[in-house]
Amino acid sequence: SPTIVAVCSESRAVAVSAGGAHSLALTAEGHVWSFGDGALGQLGHGDLSSQLRPKRIGDLRWSRGTAISACVVHSLVATSDGAAYSFGHGNSGRLGHGDTARQPSPRRIGGLRSEHISAVAAGARHSLALSSGGSVFSFGWGVCGQLGHGDKRSRLVPERICGALAAVRAVAVSAGCEHSLVLAAGGAVYSFGYGSHGRLGHGDEEERL
């Protein structure tokens, strides 16, 4: 049955995110805690150890977290100053650092430094970032069109999604296994990527790039 997790002693949790075999929790003070499988650095503690109990991510102690997202083997964190950090398995460029290297400690995503990032979404092999101005950026594995750039190329660094979203002010993003969703300020929902089982909601199973 559901059991309370002692995230920390000084505050209450305000957000949680479940990855493949690891978890993230964000407290009211903006502290980010992680626990579970750390074999690929997805816990952000600078090593590859797993944690049976929540442990605060020390490298983020000078930043106030505002959003968290965990997926299979990587994690994303947005902070109050608009920065975005990623850590874990870097295959396919899902961390956005211009390479595919593993990153066991939180590293700021350089390609987003000019943006104020308010939300992040970690997919199975790709990532999304939302700016406070409503722009959406994607990076990582793009073979199924889940990056939204009109092609099937992967991106090692963040690239703004234009096309149908060029004039749209986005307010929320979500990344799945091989598809992505964007919520616009006016209430419209956009989907793109792999279409099997109708996951894109367009009445068919076709890909949308």
Side-chain angles (χ1 to χ4, degrees):
S1 62
T3 303
I4 292 176
V5 178
V7 173
C8 62
S9 58
E10 80 268 20
S11 183
R12 63 186 180 89
V14 295
V16 291
S17 185
H22 74 292
S23 304
L24 300 177
L26 175 66
T27 68
E29 286 81 12
H31 302 163
V32 182
W33 298 66
S34 63
F35 47 104
D37 180 21
L40 293 168
Q42 63 266 50
L43 297 186
H45 299 303
D47 56 33
L48 306 182
S49 300
S50 296
Q51 297 292 330
L52 297 181
R53 298 180 186 276
K55 180 179 179 181
R56 184 179 171 187
I57 300 178
D59 281 4
L60 293 174
R61 64 187 177 278
W62 306 117
S63 301
R64 183 178 183 276
T66 54
I68 54 175
S69 184
C71 201
V72 182
V73 289
H74 78 295
S75 303
L76 301 172
V77 175
T79 57
S80 59
D81 60 356
Y85 294 83
S86 62
F87 43 99
H89 193 25
N91 189 37
S92 303
R94 72 189 80 187
L95 300 183
H97 301 305
D99 55 34
T100 59
R102 183 169 55 199
Q103 184 65 44
S105 298
R107 180 179 173 186
R108 185 171 183 178
I109 302 175
L112 295 172
R113 280 184 178 271
S114 62
E115 304 292 332
H116 189 284
I117 301 303
S118 58
V120 288
R125 285 180 283 185
H126 73 294
S127 302
L128 303 176
L130 173 66
S131 76
S132 57
S135 297
V136 182
F137 299 81
S138 63
F139 45 100
W141 200 59
V143 174
C144 295
Q146 63 266 55
L147 298 187
H149 300 300
D151 57 43
K152 295 187 175 185
R153 291 193 299 111
S154 297
R155 265 72 171 179
L156 297 179
V157 295
E159 183 176 325
R160 182 184 176 188
I161 301 177
C162 294
L165 297 181
V168 171
R169 182 178 180 273
V171 295
V173 292
S174 184
C177 182
E178 296 166 328
H179 74 298
S180 303
L181 298 174
V182 174
L183 174 64
V189 177
Y190 294 81
S191 63
F192 43 97
Y194 197 44
S196 71
H197 305 291
R199 71 188 77 185
L200 299 184
H202 301 302
D204 56 41
E205 296 186 281
E206 296 181 7
E207 292 178 341
R208 298 296 197 284
L209 308 182

